[in-house]
Amino acid sequence: MSLDDARQVAERLAAAVSERRLAGEQARRLPEATIGEFVDSGLLRMNQAARWGGLELGSRAVVELVSAVAEGDGASGWVFGLLASHFWLGSVFDLEAQYDMWGEDPNALMSSSFAAEASDVSACDGGFRVSGRWPFSSGSDHCSWAMVGIVVPPADGAGPPTPRWCLLPRSDYTVEDTWSTCALRGTGSNTVVIDGAFVPTHRTVDPVDVMEGRAPGSLANLSPIFKLSFSSALSSYLGSTALGIARRAARDFAGYSKKKVSKFTGLPELSDPMIIHVGTVAAHAEAARGLMLYRAGLLDDLVEQGLGPTLEQRIATNRDVTTAVRMCVDAVERAMRFSGGSGLFDQHTIQQAWRDVHGVAAHMGYNTDNVYGNWGRQVLGLPLPPGFS
């Protein structure tokens, strides 16, 4: 499938999920029909390894396709982007783990949760014994696999613990309904619960190797896209959700403003200040799109050359995507502010955009203190904090 074909498919998905927007909010999870359409579209596999039938379309495709779906519905865009990112992430695990997950079904879906709220992990013969609770696992109700972050205590009780990311089939965990939120309600970001499951070593990976672009799957899947660092490869999948939300808000705000009539005078309210607000909202959304596409294009250029990003380029990627997310928040904030009291009603799309774009921006990956702090250290020639990638 070419990117041009993929764009057309994404537009059809956006139209479909827009019709189910309220249903997802009310159920606090996406309808099964939506997930089925995501799978059937083939777009979730936009950057899965080609050996499994993946498209390996690159970073620009992520921005375009995820934002297109998110224009239809923010929660749908979030889950679509997250599930798509996991096809890339699964492709950098050990090849034996990839066969476990995709050997019988290359479309098998994986949810994730990188940090436990409580866990008990121990090393054992051939792997690890894992128990605990992992929250914020978006789309987990629909997935047959989960990836969770674990911390293995040192065997001798001394020295630092060892972090690992591990894959488990649905038979080894349950999903507890804990997602009751004001934003991204339809994402079903529930809690994965594991009770004494055995995880073989080959289904685990050192997160540092993934962060640095040297995970074992990058040796089996030869496209340079699998040598991208974790943050460079994945930051746009969720950030593009904010972009789609902001573009939808800009379009709806313009349409609403054009038709708005004063309840007191019966006259149109499209004043010069309102025209400026419409223009400002649209400008911020389009500037965010330009910034994200620019950075994604640079990553695609590196991939074409068979190169991975330098440390400075990785920090700049985080900087630019975070800045684009903040621009999207600013755009939707203005649209909400000048929609007036009508914008508060449930049926008004602006209030959902306002809630959802703040939900995206709350993700730790877009924490401006961390992201801009790291860029400031780069500018000043100061050392980065431990564990940064």
Side-chain angles (χ1 to χ4, degrees):
M1 185 189 301
S2 69
L3 181 52
D4 283 341
D5 292 336
R7 291 187 186 105
Q8 295 179 34
V9 175
E11 288 175 4
R12 291 195 292 270
L13 289 176
V17 301
S18 181
E19 294 296 320
R20 305 186 189 113
R21 179 178 61 86
L22 292 179
E25 285 241 314
Q26 292 165 0
R28 295 179 296 108
R29 53 174 279 173
L30 296 188
E32 292 293 340
T34 294
I35 299 298
E37 289 171 357
F38 286 172
V39 173
D40 292 344
S41 75
L43 297 190
L44 291 178
R45 303 167 71 188
M46 65 180 79
N47 283 315
Q48 184 188 32
R51 71 167 62 242
W52 304 112
L55 302 175
E56 297 185 1
L57 289 177
S59 298
R60 185 182 179 96
V62 172
V63 176
E64 293 198 36
L65 303 179
V66 175
S67 65
V69 174
E71 281 194 51
D73 172 50
S76 295
W78 177 275
V79 173
F80 175 81
L82 198 71
L83 295 180
S85 76
H86 292 158
F87 281 96
W88 178 89
L89 183 57
S91 296
V92 303
F93 270 75
D94 183 88
L95 189 56
E96 186 177 358
Q98 295 179 46
Y99 272 99
D100 288 349
M101 185 160 59
W102 292 323
E104 294 183 3
D105 180 11
N107 281 303
L109 302 178
M110 177 182 81
S111 69
S112 67
S113 178
F114 290 88
E117 64 180 28
S119 66
D120 182 12
V121 179
S122 59
C124 59
D125 187 26
F128 306 92
R129 189 67 62 181
V130 178
S131 297
R133 295 170 57 83
W134 282 262
F136 297 102
S137 190
S138 301
S140 49
D141 286 332
H142 309 284
C143 296
S144 53
W145 286 79
M147 192 224 75
V148 300
I150 62 173
V151 179
V152 185
D156 57 3
T162 303
R164 305 289 291 181
W165 292 345
C166 59
L167 295 173
L168 299 95
R170 187 60 177 262
S171 57
D172 286 351
Y173 68 90
T174 59
V175 176
E176 184 177 324
D177 183 354
T178 56
W179 190 245
S180 182
T181 61
C182 67
L184 297 171
R185 288 173 175 168
T187 62
S189 302
N190 288 311
T191 299
V192 169
V193 181
I194 304 170
D195 185 10
F198 171 71
V199 181
T201 301
H202 74 267
R203 279 204 235 124
T204 72
V205 69
D206 183 343
V208 175
D209 288 342
V210 182
M211 298 287 185
E212 297 291 336
R214 58 171 188 262
S218 66
L219 301 177
N221 300 313
L222 300 182
S223 169
I225 197 172
F226 301 112
K227 292 181 173 60
L228 291 174
S229 66
F230 176 76
S231 60
S232 297
L234 296 185
S235 60
S236 292
Y237 282 92
L238 299 182
S240 297
T241 302
L243 177 57
I245 292 169
R247 296 189 79 202
R248 169 71 179 268
R251 186 176 70 245
D252 290 353
F253 180 55
Y256 166 72
S257 300
K258 193 172 183 179
K259 296 184 294 186
K260 188 175 181 182
V261 173
S262 171
K263 293 181 173 59
F264 299 102
T265 67
L267 299 175
E269 289 194 343
L270 193 59
S271 61
D272 286 344
M274 185 60 77
I275 293 170
I276 293 171
H277 296 319
V278 169
T280 303
V281 170
H284 284 190
E286 288 309 303
R289 183 174 187 269
L291 182 56
M292 292 189 73
L293 287 174
Y294 166 75
R295 183 54 59 180
L298 293 180
L299 292 176
D300 285 344
D301 289 345
L302 289 173
V303 168
E304 284 189 15
Q305 299 170 49
L307 302 173
T310 64
L311 178 61
E312 182 175 353
Q313 289 168 328
R314 300 202 311 259
I315 301 171
T317 297
N318 294 345
R319 175 204 67 195
D320 286 355
V321 175
T322 298
T323 299
V325 168
R326 295 311 312 174
M327 292 170 74
C328 291
V329 171
D330 290 344
V332 181
E333 280 279 4
R334 182 176 289 265
M336 181 66 182
R337 179 181 175 188
F338 291 103
S339 289
S342 298
L344 300 175
F345 284 86
D346 286 342
Q347 68 269 23
H348 204 296
T349 59
I350 298 297
Q351 58 80 27
Q352 184 187 9
W354 182 72
R355 290 185 287 109
D356 286 351
V357 78
H358 279 283
V360 175
H363 191 277
M364 63 178 296
Y366 309 119
N367 182 305
T368 53
D369 288 352
N370 293 339
V371 174
Y372 293 154
N374 287 334
W375 182 247
R377 292 181 181 93
Q378 177 69 26
V379 170
L380 295 169
L382 300 176
L384 293 168
F388 172 79
S389 171

